[in-house]
Amino acid sequence: MKGIGLITLSTDPVGEHSFKAEMASYPVRIFTTRTSYDEADHHAGGFIPIPDWPILLATLPPGDLVDLIAFACTSATIALGNETLLNHLSSARSGLRYTSPGIASVTMMQRFGIKRIALLTPYGPTLHNKFAPYFASHGIQVIAAHSLSQPMNLVTDDDIARVPIERIQSELEGLLDSTGPLDALFVSCAAFSIGRQDLARLGDVLGHPVLGSVNSMAWHSLDLLGEHSRRDELAAEIGLPRNET
């Protein structure tokens, strides 16, 4: 059985549960570790784990028990950039496969030809404003974006986890009203309490596929582990075509 080493933030109350729920029906074992981090630096647009990457990765099981590392923070990926994050992970634990919600969402969008998105985040201005350039660097245009941080006074990951799905839906509807043609909507943050069934229902209601951080990372994990039929089933459940290549 394949093994996934899942890294979640010490402040995230739902990311671990959400990822395990997404992967529950698949033949994988998930080993979880948590990391604290410099929160002031992260709000300013960076990401520094405490104490450091090698010690963090060493808390996961050794040897051949882990095939893939999943780092469950979207905003940290965007703050660091894919290459830097992958270098940190591979230098600390070499010879594995690696993903994160940011890396996974870009891979998923590219695989399904998604080039124009509307974006909903819970982040303050510094992090929120990094997303459009990040996606643009991967050939994906953010044609409308909104942050719930100030309107809902979201300060902590627990605040984010408590945002009701009804509010997420209303905000996505508002984004659709303010934009032109698009291919999908993306709800960014592993701390949002939004699962596969929520994404599927929102896609039906809004008439466009809705992607989420944790669901995208589950899809990419299955892809990297060679579980391609299960990967395609997961994508189809949220309204993406089955015959992707």
Side-chain angles (χ1 to χ4, degrees):
M1 183 178 291
K2 300 289 179 65
I4 297 175
L6 175 66
I7 302 169
T8 65
L9 303 189
S10 57
T11 54
D12 184 349
V14 301
E16 176 184 1
H17 173 77
S18 297
F19 185 72
K20 287 181 175 179
E22 290 288 337
M23 301 297 288
S25 61
Y26 305 124
V28 296
R29 291 190 295 183
I30 299 173
F31 306 98
T32 306
T33 191
R34 287 180 170 264
T35 183
S36 54
Y37 58 101
D38 185 331
E39 294 189 48
D41 176 78
H42 191 45
H43 288 306
F47 186 81
I48 302 172
I50 300 171
D52 59 27
W53 293 99
I55 290 176
L56 171 60
L57 272 292
T59 62
L60 292 167
D64 60 359
L65 292 175
V66 175
D67 302 278
L68 179 147
I69 302 294
F71 177 66
C73 185
T74 321
S75 57
T77 306
I78 278 65
L80 292 169
N82 290 3
E83 184 177 352
T84 298
L85 174 60
L86 290 172
N87 283 341
H88 283 312
L89 295 174
S90 61
S91 296
R93 190 77 178 262
S94 63
L96 304 179
R97 283 153 282 188
Y98 312 92
T99 188
S100 75
I103 294 168
S105 63
V106 163
T107 304
M108 197 176 200
M109 290 176 195
Q110 291 174 334
R111 195 77 60 86
F112 288 97
I114 294 170
K115 297 181 179 179
R116 292 166 58 86
I117 65 169
L119 170 71
L120 181 67
T121 85
Y123 313 120
T126 301
L127 282 171
H128 178 79
N129 292 336
K130 286 179 175 284
F131 273 72
Y134 170 81
F135 280 112
S137 71
H138 296 282
I140 299 159
Q141 183 182 4
V142 177
I143 60 172
H146 180 63
S147 170
L148 287 171
S149 176
Q150 292 178 347
M152 296 192 70
N153 190 31
L154 303 180
V155 177
T156 69
D157 282 348
D158 190 48
D159 294 335
I160 298 168
R162 294 175 186 273
V163 175
I165 192 67
E166 293 80 12
R167 179 64 183 267
I168 292 174
Q169 178 177 331
S170 68
E171 296 292 345
L172 294 177
E173 289 170 341
L175 281 171
L176 284 178
D177 289 341
S178 67
T179 189
L182 52 76
D183 300 313
L185 303 103
F186 180 55
V187 181
S188 174
C189 193
F192 271 130
S193 296
I194 182 168
R196 192 182 311 178
Q197 291 182 336
D198 298 316
L199 297 173
R201 186 187 65 78
L202 288 171
D204 288 340
V205 170
L206 300 175
H208 297 279
V210 179
L211 312 184
S213 289
V214 174
N215 181 266
S216 297
M217 192 168 71
W219 175 89
H220 195 216
S221 296
L222 292 169
D223 185 46
L224 291 172
L225 293 175
E227 297 287 345
H228 296 155
S229 63
R230 293 181 169 94
R231 170 204 66 189
D232 296 345
E233 289 170 2
L234 186 153
E237 287 184 29
I238 63 167
L240 294 169
R242 288 182 178 273
N243 60 343
E244 62 88 30
T245 58

